[in-house]
Amino acid sequence: PSGHANTAVFSLIFAILYFKNILISIFFAAIALMTMIQRVVYKKHSFQQVCWGALIGATMAQLCFNICN
């Protein structure tokens, strides 16, 4: 799995849950999307690896947020 996608999506989901602000969410979504696209375009990871990294990041963000609250 892509560690970059993992980190980007973790940050996105955590920011959405923590800040609850649409502008901040859009900002983090843009960064996450650009990061994932870049990993595939430059052939550093396959599409599937980026998807798995994103899924792991999203899951970990949700778990961490739930634990912190």
Side-chain angles (χ1 to χ4, degrees), residues 43-65:
K43 300 186 187 316
K44 301 298 181 187
H45 291 288
S46 68
F47 179 75
Q48 290 82 7
Q49 289 172 323
V50 170
C51 288
W52 278 109
L55 180 64
I56 292 167
T59 303
M60 294 306 295
Q62 183 69 54
L63 287 172
C64 288
F65 185 80

Side-chain angles (χ1 to χ4, degrees), residues 1-13:
S2 170
H4 287 87
N6 183 327
T7 304
V9 173
F10 179 97
S11 299
L12 167 63
I13 300 301

Side-chain angles (χ1 to χ4, degrees), residues 3-4 8 10 13-14 17 19 22 24-26 28 38 41-43 50-52 56 59-60 66 69:
H4 287 87
F10 179 97
I13 300 301
F14 200 88
L17 295 171
F19 293 111
I22 190 70
I24 293 173
S25 299
I26 290 170
F28 276 92
Q38 182 269 338
V41 168
Y42 288 103
K43 300 186 187 316
V50 170
C51 288
W52 278 109
I56 292 167
T59 303
M60 294 306 295
N66 289 343
N69 287 325

